[in-house]
Amino acid sequence: MGSINSRPLKAFVRFDGSGRIVAGSLILRKNKPKVGKWKEIQAYECCFLTTTTTTTVVAPTTTSTTAEPTTTTTTTDPR
């Protein structure tokens, strides 16, 4: 299946009297239907024709070194 470069059709869903989407009412047309409450929705979820920029910040790393204290043992001669 090939890709569509131009997207001539728009997707519309119908709303009932209480503002809910009518199940199974999704249609693809060039223009909005005249009868009923219709709203255009995004038809092509796969390939948006927008660009996004992502910025990644790397936190600095800290390294600490600990050394063991030196111990001195002194023995005295008892006389």
Side-chain angles (χ1 to χ4, degrees):
M1 183 168 199
S3 74
I4 302 171
N5 291 333
S6 66
R7 302 187 189 311
L9 299 179
K10 300 174 185 176
F12 295 95
V13 289
R14 188 173 186 173
F15 288 88
D16 64 5
S18 61
R20 296 176 298 184
I21 296 176
V22 175
S25 67
L26 174 67
I27 60 169
L28 295 174
R29 296 184 61 166
K30 192 171 186 177
N31 297 318
K32 184 171 84 168
K34 299 200 184 329
V35 178
K37 296 180 184 178
W38 294 88
K39 182 179 178 185
E40 184 179 354
I41 62 169
Q42 183 178 353
Y44 301 97
E45 294 181 5
C46 163
C47 308
F48 299 114
L49 298 176
T50 60
T51 58
T52 58
T53 304
T54 305
T55 305
T56 305
V57 178
V58 178
T61 58
T62 11
T63 307
S64 62
T65 311
T66 56
E68 293 184 25
T70 56
T71 56
T72 307
T73 307
T74 309
T75 52
T76 55
D77 191 19
R79 290 188 198 192

